[in-house]
Amino acid sequence: MSFVSMNIRMDSEIKKQAQELFSNIGMDMTTAVNVFLRQAILHDGLPFLVRNFKLNKKTVAAIEDVENGRNLSPVFNSVKDAKEWLDA
């Protein structure tokens, strides 16, 4: 196996954060990039989903409800209990 050098340009803060993250898991940047590239080859594409993730108003409202304990059903111990609650 022969090795080559690769130069990339990135935001200095992103590099700093990534180096800290990888260091915390015992990995240097070169190893992390090689892991990423090997996974990309294995998956024949990016090894994770990339999408433009935007929350609509209903989703934001539902998240806020959960965070604030609003509009939630109680926890049920059985289907029977749930049906009784729904029928009430």
Side-chain angles (χ1 to χ4, degrees):
M1 178 184 320
S2 63
F3 293 91
V4 296
S5 293
M6 182 173 84
N7 295 315
I8 60 172
R9 298 180 58 80
M10 70 175 62
D11 180 279
S12 61
E13 185 58 31
I14 296 295
K15 180 183 177 189
K16 178 182 166 194
Q17 290 176 25
Q19 284 176 315
E20 184 176 328
L21 169 73
F22 298 136
S23 176
N24 287 340
I25 59 174
M27 192 181 293
D28 62 14
M29 186 73 81
T30 298
T31 303
V33 169
N34 277 297
V35 167
F36 168 77
L37 294 174
R38 287 174 185 274
Q39 286 295 305
I41 292 165
L42 182 67
H43 287 84
D44 196 24
L46 291 175
F48 46 80
L49 180 63
V50 176
R51 64 182 179 181
N52 184 8
F53 187 74
K54 293 182 182 176
L55 300 177
N56 62 36
K57 290 179 183 180
K58 280 187 172 183
T59 303
V60 170
I63 291 169
E64 288 173 356
D65 281 351
V66 169
E67 290 174 343
N68 295 302
R70 294 187 309 248
N71 298 321
L72 302 175
S73 70
V75 176
F76 302 104
N77 294 320
S78 68
V79 173
K80 179 183 174 199
D81 292 345
K83 288 178 82 175
E84 287 175 0
W85 182 79
L86 288 169
D87 291 337

